[in-house]
């Protein structure tokens, strides 16, 4: 989208883009589906990291240990309050939106299994024996001996029990189980879908209202404020979940031989016993409480899967690949990045550093494209924060191999601004 000037000042106007590739540099952007693809591609890259890469990169190893095999990630198609989340308000119409979704693997497998007990659009419910056989096949496609061998002893024993025992041995309180997360790509935000405790949920809403009031004091500006979208009911329903083309539930030979392989699942509210699945879409609260089932949008056999695999490889030839090597800034970008970082350094010097200060703290992130392309907007942001903040700090982190200046020196700046209003 872009910023326009209207009768009430500057405002963001969403523009559909749908570029058929991920961002190819730190300075480029895309629509919601592009940012969701970028997030899932980063997660997939961590999952596919070699032992040498895991030994070298601490954060890559941490991400892989957190998601494999405990989480299954993919593209979520959701009904949201607008096409992008920078506003984050819980009012207005409903628009199609794409996000990255992280589902606890056992929750995902249980939800698919539970869906097999319901008829759906003429397809009858599975018999109990067929459902158990399919449940075991899906579980074993993910929790392979090779995956189990990587886990600590206690976890290995837990997952080696099989699908029914592994799920049953989890805490009975669903709030204590691993929770699903939404990773939003169009604004910095909390990934939490729902806060289960009533008192904590009320407190989160109170803090979110203070966030909104604090952000208003510094508006308009080029930075992006950290939001809690779950407090504003910004996501209406989660509708569809699409997994990686190499996910075991899609490529496993046993599942394809059974004609039950799938990479696309539909969120459905859990109907009453004996009823038919008729409605797509489950609220974040229903998903967080496991009050939903996952029905395959399409099922793939061995013959069909072979054709789709070939078509997928052919289609990839029409997608621009990621650029090789570290992104090198131009001379103008190098100059503008230095100017932006200088403004932020001066802001940090001006902000009071106090252990205790009366006010409300909010966090801002500055996109890399802003730092290298719009130093005037960065200066304007710094002036606003310096004039209105009682205290604060500018946190700067250099990310190795993200980008280099025109002379080859490191340029991968990651900037967070915390300020008390």
């Amino acid at each position: 989208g872009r910023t326009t000037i209207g009768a009430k000042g500057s405002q963001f106007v969403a523009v559909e883009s749908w570029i058929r590739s991920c961002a190819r540099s730190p300075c480029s952007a895309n629509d919601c589906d592009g940012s969701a693809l970028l997030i899932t591609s980063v997660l997939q890259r961590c999952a596919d990291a070699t032992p040498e890469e895991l030994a070298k990169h601490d954060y890559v190893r941490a991400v892989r240990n957190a998601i494999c095999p405990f989480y299954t990630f993919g593209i979520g198609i959701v009904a949201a309050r607008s096409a992008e989340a920078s506003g984050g308000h819980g009012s207005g119409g409903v628009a199609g939106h794409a996000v990255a979704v992280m589902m606890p693997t056992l929750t995902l497998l249980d939800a698919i299994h539970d869906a097999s007990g319901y008829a759906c659009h003429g397809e009858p419910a599975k018999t109990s024996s067929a459902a158990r056989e399919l449940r075991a096949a899906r579980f074993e496609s993910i929790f392979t001996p090779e995956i189990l061998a990587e886990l600590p002893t206690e976890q290995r024993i837990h997952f080696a029990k099989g699908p029914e025992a592994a799920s049953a041995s989890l805490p009975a309180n669903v709030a204590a189980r691993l929770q699903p997360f939404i990773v939003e790509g169009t604004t910095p935000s909390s990934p939490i879908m729902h806060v289960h405790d009533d008192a904590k949920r009320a407190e989160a809403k109170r803090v979110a209202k203070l966030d909104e009031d604090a952000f208003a004091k510094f508006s308009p500006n080029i930075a992006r404020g950290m939001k809690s979208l779950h407090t504003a009911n910004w996501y209406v329903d989660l509708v569809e979940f699409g997994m990686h083309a190499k996910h075991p539930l899609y490529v496993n030979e046993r599942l394809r031989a059974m004609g039950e392989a799938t990479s696309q699942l539909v969120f459905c509210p859990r109907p009453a016993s004996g009823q038919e699945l008729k409605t797509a879409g489950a609220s974040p609260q229903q998903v967080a409480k496991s009050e939903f089932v996952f029905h395959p949008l399409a099922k793939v056999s061995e013959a069909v899967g072979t054709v789709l695999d070939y078509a997928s490889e052919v289609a990839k030839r029409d997608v621009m690949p990621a650029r090789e090597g570290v992104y090198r800034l131009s001379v103008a970008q190098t100059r503008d990045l230095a100017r932006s970082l200088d403004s932020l350094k001066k802001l940090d010097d001006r902000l009071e550093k106090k252990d205790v200060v009366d006010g409300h703290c909010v966090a801002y992130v500055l996109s890399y494209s802003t730092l290298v392309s719009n130093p005037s907007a960065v200066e304007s942001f710094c002036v606003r924060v310096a004039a209105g903040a009682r205290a604060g700090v500018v946190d700067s982190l250099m990310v190795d191999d993200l980008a280099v200046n025109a002379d080859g020196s490191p340029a991968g700046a990651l900037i967070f601004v915390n300020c008390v209003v």
Side-chain angles (χ1 to χ4, degrees), residues 255-277:
L255 290 174
R256 287 195 174 186
M258 299 170 71
E260 294 285 352
T262 185
S263 65
Q264 294 171 289
L265 302 168
V266 177
F267 290 90
C268 303
R270 187 186 298 274
S273 178
Q275 293 187 359
E276 186 174 342
L277 285 177

Side-chain angles (χ1 to χ4, degrees), residues 232-249:
N233 298 319
W234 196 81
Y235 301 110
V236 180
D237 277 327
L238 288 84
V239 182
E240 186 181 324
F241 182 71
M243 294 171 284
H244 192 273
K246 301 299 183 184
H247 193 276
L249 292 180

Side-chain angles (χ1 to χ4, degrees), residues 219-241:
S219 294
N221 65 67
I222 195 68
R224 310 302 295 271
M226 181 67 71
K227 300 175 180 64
S228 298
L229 296 177
H230 63 94
T231 62
N233 298 319
W234 196 81
Y235 301 110
V236 180
D237 277 327
L238 288 84
V239 182
E240 186 181 324
F241 182 71

Side-chain angles (χ1 to χ4, degrees), residues 146-404:
E146 294 78 13
I147 290 294
L148 294 178
E150 296 181 6
L151 301 179
T153 302
E154 183 180 353
Q155 294 175 354
R156 183 164 62 250
I157 294 173
H158 175 79
F159 287 103
K161 295 175 181 178
E164 295 178 4
S167 293
S169 61
L170 289 170
N173 180 7
V174 68
R177 297 172 61 168
L178 291 177
Q179 289 291 288
F181 297 111
I182 288 180
V183 190
E184 177 62 56
T186 63
T187 197
S189 68
S190 165
I192 294 173
M193 285 190 188
H194 177 67
V195 178
H196 294 270
D197 183 87
D198 291 343
K200 292 180 179 179
R201 186 167 61 254
E203 174 63 13
K205 290 184 177 181
R206 186 189 72 83
V207 172
K209 179 61 171 64
L210 292 176
D211 288 344
E212 186 178 326
D213 293 342
F215 290 142
K217 290 183 178 293
F218 297 122
S219 294
N221 65 67
I222 195 68
R224 310 302 295 271
M226 181 67 71
K227 300 175 180 64
S228 298
L229 296 177
H230 63 94
T231 62
N233 298 319
W234 196 81
Y235 301 110
V236 180
D237 277 327
L238 288 84
V239 182
E240 186 181 324
F241 182 71
M243 294 171 284
H244 192 273
K246 301 299 183 184
H247 193 276
L249 292 180
Y250 181 67
V251 301
N252 182 263
E253 293 181 359
R254 181 180 174 188
L255 290 174
R256 287 195 174 186
M258 299 170 71
E260 294 285 352
T262 185
S263 65
Q264 294 171 289
L265 302 168
V266 177
F267 290 90
C268 303
R270 187 186 298 274
S273 178
Q275 293 187 359
E276 186 174 342
L277 285 177
K278 293 183 177 181
T279 304
S283 70
Q285 293 89 339
Q286 288 174 317
V287 175
K289 294 180 179 180
S290 293
E291 297 173 351
F292 77 104
V293 297
F294 259 147
H295 194 279
L297 183 64
K299 298 178 182 180
V300 176
S301 65
E302 187 174 359
V304 173
T306 301
V307 175
L308 292 177
D309 291 343
Y310 174 76
S312 178
E313 291 301 319
V314 172
K316 287 178 184 177
R317 300 173 191 173
D318 293 326
V319 178
M320 294 294 287
R323 289 187 171 93
E324 294 292 332
V326 181
Y327 183 78
R328 183 179 289 270
L329 302 180
S330 67
V331 173
Q333 288 174 323
T334 299
R335 178 198 65 220
D336 289 345
L337 174 62
R339 182 177 157 193
S340 294
L341 295 180
D342 181 64
S343 298
L344 291 162
K345 174 64 169 58
K346 292 177 180 177
L347 171 63
D348 188 54
D349 292 339
R350 289 187 60 183
L351 291 172
E352 291 279 352
K353 306 293 189 293
K354 299 178 180 179
D355 292 333
V356 179
V357 61
D358 182 29
H360 181 70
C361 186
V362 290
Y364 283 101
V365 181
L366 284 104
S367 72
Y368 194 72
S369 59
T370 292
L371 296 175
V372 303
S373 305
N374 205 337
S376 295
V378 174
E379 291 173 353
S380 173
F381 166 74
C382 292
V383 169
R384 285 183 173 274
V385 171
R390 294 186 172 183
V393 61
V394 178
D395 287 321
S396 177
L397 175 70
M398 294 303 292
V399 181
D400 293 340
D401 299 333
L402 176 70
V404 295

